[in-house]
Amino acid sequence: MPNPISSINNSSVGVVSAQQAFFDEPLTLKSGAVLGQYELAYETYGTLNAQRNNAVLVCHALNASHHVAGYYADKPEEVGWWDNMIGPGKPLDTSRFFVLGVNNLGGCHGSTGPQSINPRTGLPWGGDFPLMTVEDWVNAQARLADRLGIECFAAVMGGSLGGMQCLQWSLSYPQRTLHALVIACAPNLSAQNIAFNEVARQAILTDPDFNEGNYDAHGVKPRRGLRVARMVGHITYLSDDEMANKFGRHLKQEKENYNFDADFEIESYLRYQGDKFARYFDANTYLRITKALDYFDPALAYGGNLALALAPARAAFLVISFSTDWRFAPERSRQIVQALLKNNRDVTYAEIDAPHGHDAFLLEDARYHLLVSAYFERIDRQISP
Amino acid sequence: MNGSSIDRADFAAIGQWIRSGSRVMDLGCADGELLKYLRETKKVSGYGVDIDDGHVLACVKNGVNVIQRNLEEGLGEFEDQSFDYVILSQTLQAMRHGERIIREMLRVGREGIVTFPNFGYWKNRLQVLKGVMPVSEHLPYEWFDTPNIHLCTLADFESFCVKRDIRILQRQVLTEGKKVRYLPNLRGALAIYHFGARSQK
């Protein structure tokens, strides 16, 4: 049998471009705040069929965007963040499905967020931009789906925070979610997870350039804080083994410096990742996204009973975890599975033995991709007349 | 463990004991063919459980719900008495913790169905008498590559059930797909038991 993974590797959706959708119907957020008007940046790949039943929403996690697959004509190096998963002949096959990627509200890639102009003041929102929740994002995505004429998604798919949005779709819009692909996810964050997020936030909040979030008005950026925040994040996305394999105790130079320059490869890697991130990402967005992660807890309103919380779901689920992911450990995915089983939902659960920690959901792994591929074939059979 | 070699007579025997529309779990479900069969003939809903990546993929291709899990670790996330039937088809003999899985089957399911090759089948006995390990239709492996580590006979299983307070509800014994009524422990190649807890909760 030819290896289907290697044979589809080179196919890309090609040149893509982002679109904007403007909404002037106010959106009431979970916090009680109201966004009077807002814009969503999005991309689509493939074609919505005549029955309008082949749409797949791909939800992004912490630092990603609506740019899910393909590349921009003027920036061919900017390949979509899940390009290995989505494209013609890839697991999520754009020759069969109409794929939608949306930059979440509060983001910094084109949707309304802290860098946008607050119509009330004529100045950037900055620190005044309201806090967002997963539920708010899903509600905004649903309005975009209305606009695009998508009544029911064939699937909503995402990893990590993106997986939380899938779960929320199945609860907020059970009739509009045929399948939910919940990958490397958890039904809520553990105390340890919230702790990591809090360290990241404190790094930003205590940066002298933060200015209560109104740094743009002061002509500065809290880059040092954002850099440290990203470094903390990166540590948690990799497994201990993967870090040992990649970096071990390797020194940058042949011997120790006896100063605070980067002695070890891992230090240099974290500094590089932190610097890169701090150059393009917005600190206010980072703060809000980590808070959305922390707040997500569908079982909270049900006394911690996840099965009760997931009772409204009507979707069929594919839940996938990765063995070395300690930030969103397999155990957490099994809790989702257990709650779905109690509700007698269609659910398939796979635990992929992969060494890459949380990052595994973004990487190419034959077992993982073949599974997603087979699952989408099943969806395709189901929706095809 | 089990797989495409499992014959339809096995499926039919299991299917006859299963009430229409019930909730079924199939442990060691391989490619999900049994669940697919029960869904089509008995309108059951349910899930397969298997550890093998290839089997999980095959189930997805077959449109069967599957939960990837190592059965040797028990059935942790499954609730007590949450299934009508828990099936363990041609897998018991390959499990290290055979007793534990039977106990788990009756914790999660109201009733259990187990199938296994009867080591007491005369063809097996004959080979042992000849001084070699048996190789037959339901025991296709050589001694050095067999996954089967806990083989038993009908008599062994039934005395185990007595000792463990398990009530055998029904039994069917097959040889080459045909029912065996007379001298089953000698003439039967494949045993299929339907059982429940002695004191039903």
Side-chain angles (χ1 to χ4, degrees):
Chain A
M1 196 175 89
N3 182 347
I5 289 295
S6 61
S7 62
I8 61 179
N9 251 348
N10 301 323
S11 55
S12 162
V13 294
V15 174
V16 300
S17 53
Q19 292 168 273
Q20 295 286 127
F22 177 77
F23 298 84
D24 55 8
E25 186 193 343
L27 184 71
T28 303
L29 306 174
K30 198 180 176 189
S31 65
V34 178
L35 263 186
Q37 52 184 51
Y38 55 93
E39 267 190 287
L40 291 175
Y42 67 97
E43 288 180 13
T44 69
Y45 325 113
T47 312
L48 188 61
N49 63 15
Q51 301 84 9
R52 298 180 170 271
N53 67 358
N54 68 332
V56 176
L57 173 65
V58 177
C59 303
H60 70 77
L62 225 166
N63 64 316
S65 70
H66 53 293
H67 184 37
V68 181
Y71 53 89
Y72 297 132
D74 56 338
K75 290 181 199 154
E77 73 285 355
E78 271 189 34
V79 176
W81 59 271
W82 220 352
D83 194 73
N84 63 25
M85 182 66 86
I86 296 152
K90 288 183 180 172
L92 174 45
D93 188 343
T94 49
S95 58
R96 297 183 201 180
F97 291 98
F98 176 67
V99 177
L100 169 63
V102 188
N103 184 212
N104 284 327
L105 274 180
C108 55
H109 290 100
S111 291
T112 298
Q115 290 175 309
S116 311
I117 300 298
N118 179 351
R120 215 171 289 164
T121 61
L123 297 167
W125 278 94
D128 293 334
F129 195 83
L131 266 68
M132 312 292 304
T133 64
V134 169
E135 291 93 320
D136 300 331
W137 288 335
V138 165
N139 288 335
Q141 290 160 358
R143 286 190 180 173
L144 180 61
D146 293 341
R147 178 81 52 93
L148 297 174
I150 300 161
E151 203 170 298
C152 176
F153 281 106
V156 182
M157 175 185 194
S160 190
L161 176 58
M164 290 175 169
Q165 291 161 61
C166 301
L167 213 49
Q168 191 57 46
W169 258 95
S170 76
L171 303 177
S172 296
Y173 301 98
Q175 308 301 338
R176 303 185 72 174
T177 316
L178 193 62
H179 289 266
L181 284 77
V182 179
I183 303 168
C185 191
N188 60 19
L189 289 194
S190 65
Q192 188 192 42
N193 259 321
I194 295 172
F196 283 121
N197 282 346
E198 175 57 5
V199 172
R201 282 190 296 267
Q202 282 301 321
I204 295 168
L205 294 167
T206 58
D207 185 313
D209 286 334
F210 182 64
N211 291 300
E212 294 181 321
N214 300 315
Y215 39 83
D216 283 324
H218 290 78
V220 291
K221 296 270 188 194
R223 287 217 171 96
R224 284 163 292 181
L226 190 54
R227 177 175 180 263
V228 173
R230 185 59 173 171
M231 289 166 86
V232 173
H234 255 282
I235 298 169
T236 70
Y237 304 146
L238 294 175
S239 69
D240 192 15
D241 284 350
E242 179 69 0
M243 227 185 239
N245 280 339
K246 238 177 165 166
F247 308 104
R249 291 185 52 86
H250 299 305
L251 294 168
K252 287 271 298 168
Q253 271 100 36
E254 289 190 356
K255 53 186 186 193
E256 296 89 339
N257 293 318
Y258 292 100
N259 61 27
F260 298 108
D261 293 341
D263 277 310
F264 294 93
E265 290 279 5
I266 181 64
E267 292 175 293
S268 145
Y269 169 80
L270 289 177
R271 289 178 188 196
Y272 170 78
Q273 291 295 341
D275 285 333
K276 191 173 86 173
F277 188 70
R279 273 197 296 275
Y280 80 88
F281 210 82
D282 180 52
N284 279 319
T285 291
Y286 199 85
L287 289 174
R288 279 158 184 75
I289 294 184
T290 58
K291 268 293 179 187
L293 267 162
D294 292 2
Y295 287 144
F296 182 73
D297 188 5
L300 183 67
Y302 299 88
N305 187 331
L306 186 62
L308 223 50
L310 299 191
R314 289 295 168 269
F317 287 79
L318 174 63
V319 179
I320 299 177
S321 72
F322 298 91
S323 55
T324 55
D325 182 353
W326 56 277
R327 188 136 193 210
F328 290 81
E331 176 54 31
R332 306 307 317 281
S333 282
R334 282 200 287 263
Q335 289 170 1
I336 297 173
V337 171
Q338 182 177 17
L340 292 168
L341 286 171
K342 272 197 213 170
N343 284 300
N344 216 358
R345 300 259 48 89
D346 277 324
V347 48
T348 282
Y349 171 62
E351 210 168 291
I352 309 284
D353 188 16
H356 309 102
H358 189 53
D359 264 354
F361 89 88
L362 292 169
L363 302 175
E364 220 171 301
D365 175 296
R367 286 159 303 173
Y368 169 39
H369 277 197
L370 283 171
L371 195 71
V372 173
S373 199
Y375 198 81
F376 272 112
E377 275 165 32
R378 172 179 157 184
I379 299 175
D380 188 41
R381 283 198 299 274
Q382 188 185 348
I383 61 172
S384 298
Chain B
M1 291 175 219
N2 59 352
S4 47
S5 66
I6 184 169
D7 56 311
R8 292 278 155 172
D10 188 351
F11 284 18
I14 293 171
Q16 69 183 344
W17 295 330
I18 290 192
R19 284 180 302 275
S20 256
S22 54
R23 213 167 125 81
V24 177
M25 173 179 288
D26 181 14
L27 305 178
C29 63
D31 54 11
E33 282 294 335
L34 174 60
L35 273 175
K36 200 174 161 192
Y37 169 83
L38 293 174
R39 195 175 60 198
E40 281 158 12
T41 58
K42 290 285 178 169
K43 307 261 178 289
V44 304
S45 64
Y47 309 86
V49 180
D50 210 294
I51 182 68
D52 182 80
D53 290 330
H55 288 166
V56 170
L57 180 63
C59 284
V60 171
K61 286 185 173 167
N62 255 330
V64 168
N65 293 321
V66 60
I67 310 295
Q68 189 163 28
R69 183 177 184 87
N70 183 359
L71 292 179
E72 300 285 9
E73 291 165 6
L75 301 174
E77 70 256 47
F78 300 109
E79 291 273 298
D80 291 2
Q81 303 293 294
S82 54
F83 285 83
D84 296 310
Y85 306 93
V86 179
I87 302 170
L88 183 68
S89 168
Q90 307 222 33
T91 299
L92 177 64
Q93 75 280 359
M95 292 205 56
R96 191 181 309 178
H97 303 290
E99 183 180 352
R100 192 208 292 178
I101 198 68
I102 297 276
R103 208 165 51 227
E104 279 283 86
M105 287 171 77
L106 287 179
R107 175 182 70 77
V108 170
R110 279 176 272 279
E111 292 166 12
I113 293 171
V114 66
T115 81
F116 58 85
N118 174 28
F119 201 75
Y121 182 43
W122 68 268
K123 283 187 184 170
N124 297 335
R125 296 192 197 194
L126 197 63
Q127 290 179 73
V128 172
L129 271 180
K130 283 182 187 161
V132 295
M133 285 300 285
V135 176
S136 63
E137 181 195 349
H138 293 286
L139 293 172
Y141 303 95
E142 297 283 355
W143 65 270
F144 49 84
D145 67 359
T146 181
N148 299 328
I149 52 175
H150 282 145
L151 291 159
C152 69
T153 68
L154 270 64
D156 290 328
F157 185 76
E158 287 174 20
S159 85
F160 165 85
C161 289
V162 170
K163 284 181 202 146
R164 295 295 181 276
D165 256 359
I166 292 164
R167 188 162 52 109
I168 292 169
L169 304 170
Q170 289 167 99
R171 180 185 77 182
Q172 186 155 316
V173 183
L174 298 176
T175 299
E176 286 165 8
K178 292 195 186 73
K179 289 181 196 172
V180 177
R181 288 194 179 81
Y182 180 61
L183 291 177
N185 198 31
L186 185 64
R187 296 177 59 242
L190 184 72
I192 309 166
Y193 283 94
H194 177 199
F195 58 93
R198 189 155 293 282
S199 48
Q200 291 280 6
K201 279 170 226 160

